[in-house]
Amino acid sequence: MSDPAKTLESLFGPLGPNNPLPTPLSMIEHPAVDALVDAGADPNRVSGEHASSLLIDACIWFPKPSVVWLLERGGKPDLQDKFGRTAAMCMLLYRLSHQAADGEAGLVEILEQLASHGAHLDIAASDGDTLLKVSQKNHQAQVEAWLLA
């Protein structure tokens, strides 16, 4: 059997702390991504024009199991992008545009996961928006009720 780290190096280049995890985490088997992290890839590396973490991207684009996987592998839920938005904030703002099948119940499930992994749900973005304000603006009644509970 071939060495998974060597296979990953052939696909993504040298592995180590300066190499990000591949953004299309949702398209890769988790054992392969496990090997990347085991080889030193940083699940909290910030990149892109918005200076977002992979967890922020996952909360917008990726299936729920990928979000949970990142949290379990050390993803920091309170990292903020250049606008001061956390993974939870970006999820409320953008996830349903890309993962509509999740519905509000799916947003609450991810919020529960983020909170159980240490997310501080009271962090305001640079513009002063909070999770509660965003849930109210977006008419996300289930999210609002969960935040107030």
Side-chain angles (χ1 to χ4, degrees), residues 104-122:
E104 275 193 72
L107 297 180
V108 170
E109 287 175 24
I110 295 172
L111 282 171
E112 289 170 343
Q113 285 292 324
L114 291 166
S116 74
H117 286 86
H120 294 91
L121 302 178
D122 56 349

PDB file of all heavy atoms in Angstrom, residues 104-122:
ATOM      1  N   GLU A 104     -32.862  26.313   8.599  1.00  0.00           N
ATOM      2  CA  GLU A 104     -32.496  26.915   9.885  1.00  0.00           C
ATOM      3  C   GLU A 104     -32.104  25.876  10.921  1.00  0.00           C
ATOM      4  O   GLU A 104     -31.233  26.122  11.751  1.00  0.00           O
ATOM      5  CB  GLU A 104     -33.653  27.756  10.427  1.00  0.00           C
ATOM      6  CG  GLU A 104     -33.671  29.154   9.882  1.00  0.00           C
ATOM      7  CD  GLU A 104     -34.619  30.014  10.674  1.00  0.00           C
ATOM      8  OE1 GLU A 104     -34.298  30.345  11.834  1.00  0.00           O
ATOM      9  OE2 GLU A 104     -35.674  30.341  10.123  1.00  0.00           O
ATOM     10  N   ALA A 105     -32.737  24.720  10.872  1.00  0.00           N
ATOM     11  CA  ALA A 105     -32.392  23.659  11.825  1.00  0.00           C
ATOM     12  C   ALA A 105     -30.922  23.279  11.669  1.00  0.00           C
ATOM     13  O   ALA A 105     -30.223  23.028  12.655  1.00  0.00           O
ATOM     14  CB  ALA A 105     -33.288  22.443  11.634  1.00  0.00           C
ATOM     15  N   GLY A 106     -30.423  23.252  10.437  1.00  0.00           N
ATOM     16  CA  GLY A 106     -29.018  22.955  10.188  1.00  0.00           C
ATOM     17  C   GLY A 106     -28.101  24.031  10.737  1.00  0.00           C
ATOM     18  O   GLY A 106     -27.018  23.731  11.245  1.00  0.00           O
ATOM     19  N   LEU A 107     -28.536  25.294  10.651  1.00  0.00           N
ATOM     20  CA  LEU A 107     -27.747  26.386  11.227  1.00  0.00           C
ATOM     21  C   LEU A 107     -27.625  26.204  12.737  1.00  0.00           C
ATOM     22  O   LEU A 107     -26.546  26.375  13.302  1.00  0.00           O
ATOM     23  CB  LEU A 107     -28.385  27.746  10.915  1.00  0.00           C
ATOM     24  CG  LEU A 107     -28.480  28.167   9.454  1.00  0.00           C
ATOM     25  CD1 LEU A 107     -29.150  29.539   9.345  1.00  0.00           C
ATOM     26  CD2 LEU A 107     -27.124  28.163   8.774  1.00  0.00           C
ATOM     27  N   VAL A 108     -28.730  25.851  13.365  1.00  0.00           N
ATOM     28  CA  VAL A 108     -28.716  25.646  14.822  1.00  0.00           C
ATOM     29  C   VAL A 108     -27.801  24.477  15.179  1.00  0.00           C
ATOM     30  O   VAL A 108     -27.037  24.551  16.140  1.00  0.00           O
ATOM     31  CB  VAL A 108     -30.149  25.447  15.366  1.00  0.00           C
ATOM     32  CG1 VAL A 108     -30.129  24.989  16.817  1.00  0.00           C
ATOM     33  CG2 VAL A 108     -30.962  26.739  15.216  1.00  0.00           C
ATOM     34  N   GLU A 109     -27.845  23.389  14.388  1.00  0.00           N
ATOM     35  CA  GLU A 109     -26.963  22.238  14.656  1.00  0.00           C
ATOM     36  C   GLU A 109     -25.497  22.653  14.610  1.00  0.00           C
ATOM     37  O   GLU A 109     -24.699  22.243  15.463  1.00  0.00           O
ATOM     38  CB  GLU A 109     -27.210  21.131  13.632  1.00  0.00           C
ATOM     39  CG  GLU A 109     -28.510  20.393  13.817  1.00  0.00           C
ATOM     40  CD  GLU A 109     -28.752  19.387  12.690  1.00  0.00           C
ATOM     41  OE1 GLU A 109     -27.782  18.937  12.047  1.00  0.00           O
ATOM     42  OE2 GLU A 109     -29.920  19.067  12.461  1.00  0.00           O
ATOM     43  N   ILE A 110     -25.145  23.469  13.616  1.00  0.00           N
ATOM     44  CA  ILE A 110     -23.749  23.899  13.513  1.00  0.00           C
ATOM     45  C   ILE A 110     -23.409  24.863  14.644  1.00  0.00           C
ATOM     46  O   ILE A 110     -22.318  24.794  15.217  1.00  0.00           O
ATOM     47  CB  ILE A 110     -23.451  24.500  12.126  1.00  0.00           C
ATOM     48  CG1 ILE A 110     -23.587  23.412  11.056  1.00  0.00           C
ATOM     49  CG2 ILE A 110     -22.053  25.111  12.087  1.00  0.00           C
ATOM     50  CD1 ILE A 110     -23.499  23.917   9.625  1.00  0.00           C
ATOM     51  N   LEU A 111     -24.330  25.759  14.994  1.00  0.00           N
ATOM     52  CA  LEU A 111     -24.084  26.650  16.138  1.00  0.00           C
ATOM     53  C   LEU A 111     -23.825  25.839  17.406  1.00  0.00           C
ATOM     54  O   LEU A 111     -22.939  26.175  18.197  1.00  0.00           O
ATOM     55  CB  LEU A 111     -25.265  27.602  16.354  1.00  0.00           C
ATOM     56  CG  LEU A 111     -25.359  28.790  15.414  1.00  0.00           C
ATOM     57  CD1 LEU A 111     -26.688  29.516  15.615  1.00  0.00           C
ATOM     58  CD2 LEU A 111     -24.187  29.737  15.622  1.00  0.00           C
ATOM     59  N   GLU A 112     -24.590  24.779  17.604  1.00  0.00           N
ATOM     60  CA  GLU A 112     -24.390  23.915  18.767  1.00  0.00           C
ATOM     61  C   GLU A 112     -22.996  23.295  18.746  1.00  0.00           C
ATOM     62  O   GLU A 112     -22.325  23.231  19.784  1.00  0.00           O
ATOM     63  CB  GLU A 112     -25.459  22.822  18.816  1.00  0.00           C
ATOM     64  CG  GLU A 112     -26.838  23.353  19.177  1.00  0.00           C
ATOM     65  CD  GLU A 112     -27.953  22.338  19.007  1.00  0.00           C
ATOM     66  OE1 GLU A 112     -27.755  21.317  18.306  1.00  0.00           O
ATOM     67  OE2 GLU A 112     -29.039  22.577  19.570  1.00  0.00           O
ATOM     68  N   GLN A 113     -22.551  22.848  17.572  1.00  0.00           N
ATOM     69  CA  GLN A 113     -21.210  22.273  17.449  1.00  0.00           C
ATOM     70  C   GLN A 113     -20.142  23.327  17.738  1.00  0.00           C
ATOM     71  O   GLN A 113     -19.183  23.066  18.453  1.00  0.00           O
ATOM     72  CB  GLN A 113     -20.996  21.683  16.048  1.00  0.00           C
ATOM     73  CG  GLN A 113     -21.708  20.384  15.815  1.00  0.00           C
ATOM     74  CD  GLN A 113     -21.121  19.264  16.654  1.00  0.00           C
ATOM     75  OE1 GLN A 113     -19.917  19.189  16.893  1.00  0.00           O
ATOM     76  NE2 GLN A 113     -21.981  18.370  17.108  1.00  0.00           N
ATOM     77  N   LEU A 114     -20.304  24.516  17.150  1.00  0.00           N
ATOM     78  CA  LEU A 114     -19.341  25.590  17.384  1.00  0.00           C
ATOM     79  C   LEU A 114     -19.271  25.923  18.878  1.00  0.00           C
ATOM     80  O   LEU A 114     -18.181  26.040  19.445  1.00  0.00           O
ATOM     81  CB  LEU A 114     -19.713  26.835  16.567  1.00  0.00           C
ATOM     82  CG  LEU A 114     -19.557  26.710  15.041  1.00  0.00           C
ATOM     83  CD1 LEU A 114     -20.263  27.865  14.341  1.00  0.00           C
ATOM     84  CD2 LEU A 114     -18.098  26.645  14.641  1.00  0.00           C
ATOM     85  N   ALA A 115     -20.438  26.053  19.514  1.00  0.00           N
ATOM     86  CA  ALA A 115     -20.475  26.381  20.944  1.00  0.00           C
ATOM     87  C   ALA A 115     -19.828  25.274  21.778  1.00  0.00           C
ATOM     88  O   ALA A 115     -19.083  25.554  22.719  1.00  0.00           O
ATOM     89  CB  ALA A 115     -21.915  26.625  21.391  1.00  0.00           C
ATOM     90  N   SER A 116     -20.086  24.025  21.423  1.00  0.00           N
ATOM     91  CA  SER A 116     -19.515  22.921  22.195  1.00  0.00           C
ATOM     92  C   SER A 116     -17.994  22.814  22.025  1.00  0.00           C
ATOM     93  O   SER A 116     -17.331  22.158  22.810  1.00  0.00           O
ATOM     94  CB  SER A 116     -20.181  21.591  21.830  1.00  0.00           C
ATOM     95  OG  SER A 116     -19.751  21.140  20.566  1.00  0.00           O
ATOM     96  N   HIS A 117     -17.463  23.485  21.009  1.00  0.00           N
ATOM     97  CA  HIS A 117     -16.013  23.517  20.789  1.00  0.00           C
ATOM     98  C   HIS A 117     -15.418  24.865  21.182  1.00  0.00           C
ATOM     99  O   HIS A 117     -14.345  25.242  20.726  1.00  0.00           O
ATOM    100  CB  HIS A 117     -15.683  23.166  19.337  1.00  0.00           C
ATOM    101  CG  HIS A 117     -15.847  21.709  19.040  1.00  0.00           C
ATOM    102  ND1 HIS A 117     -17.056  21.161  18.682  1.00  0.00           N
ATOM    103  CD2 HIS A 117     -14.956  20.684  19.086  1.00  0.00           C
ATOM    104  CE1 HIS A 117     -16.899  19.861  18.506  1.00  0.00           C
ATOM    105  NE2 HIS A 117     -15.635  19.548  18.747  1.00  0.00           N
ATOM    106  N   GLY A 118     -16.142  25.603  22.026  1.00  0.00           N
ATOM    107  CA  GLY A 118     -15.579  26.811  22.622  1.00  0.00           C
ATOM    108  C   GLY A 118     -15.880  28.131  21.949  1.00  0.00           C
ATOM    109  O   GLY A 118     -15.317  29.152  22.333  1.00  0.00           O
ATOM    110  N   ALA A 119     -16.752  28.152  20.954  1.00  0.00           N
ATOM    111  CA  ALA A 119     -17.066  29.419  20.286  1.00  0.00           C
ATOM    112  C   ALA A 119     -17.724  30.388  21.265  1.00  0.00           C
ATOM    113  O   ALA A 119     -18.589  30.001  22.055  1.00  0.00           O
ATOM    114  CB  ALA A 119     -17.996  29.189  19.102  1.00  0.00           C
ATOM    115  N   HIS A 120     -17.297  31.630  21.207  1.00  0.00           N
ATOM    116  CA  HIS A 120     -17.948  32.707  21.959  1.00  0.00           C
ATOM    117  C   HIS A 120     -18.955  33.354  21.010  1.00  0.00           C
ATOM    118  O   HIS A 120     -18.563  34.023  20.047  1.00  0.00           O
ATOM    119  CB  HIS A 120     -16.909  33.720  22.452  1.00  0.00           C
ATOM    120  CG  HIS A 120     -15.984  33.142  23.452  1.00  0.00           C
ATOM    121  ND1 HIS A 120     -14.787  32.543  23.116  1.00  0.00           N
ATOM    122  CD2 HIS A 120     -16.094  33.036  24.796  1.00  0.00           C
ATOM    123  CE1 HIS A 120     -14.199  32.106  24.206  1.00  0.00           C
ATOM    124  NE2 HIS A 120     -14.962  32.380  25.238  1.00  0.00           N
ATOM    125  N   LEU A 121     -20.212  33.132  21.256  1.00  0.00           N
ATOM    126  CA  LEU A 121     -21.256  33.551  20.320  1.00  0.00           C
ATOM    127  C   LEU A 121     -21.673  35.006  20.500  1.00  0.00           C
ATOM    128  O   LEU A 121     -22.602  35.463  19.849  1.00  0.00           O
ATOM    129  CB  LEU A 121     -22.460  32.606  20.441  1.00  0.00           C
ATOM    130  CG  LEU A 121     -22.123  31.135  20.174  1.00  0.00           C
ATOM    131  CD1 LEU A 121     -23.356  30.266  20.366  1.00  0.00           C
ATOM    132  CD2 LEU A 121     -21.538  30.933  18.792  1.00  0.00           C
ATOM    133  N   ASP A 122     -20.943  35.729  21.349  1.00  0.00           N
ATOM    134  CA  ASP A 122     -21.268  37.135  21.580  1.00  0.00           C
ATOM    135  C   ASP A 122     -20.277  38.085  20.915  1.00  0.00           C
ATOM    136  O   ASP A 122     -20.330  39.292  21.119  1.00  0.00           O
ATOM    137  CB  ASP A 122     -21.324  37.417  23.082  1.00  0.00           C
ATOM    138  CG  ASP A 122     -20.023  37.042  23.799  1.00  0.00           C
ATOM    139  OD1 ASP A 122     -19.161  36.380  23.192  1.00  0.00           O
ATOM    140  OD2 ASP A 122     -19.881  37.413  24.976  1.00  0.00           O
TER     141      ASP A 122
END
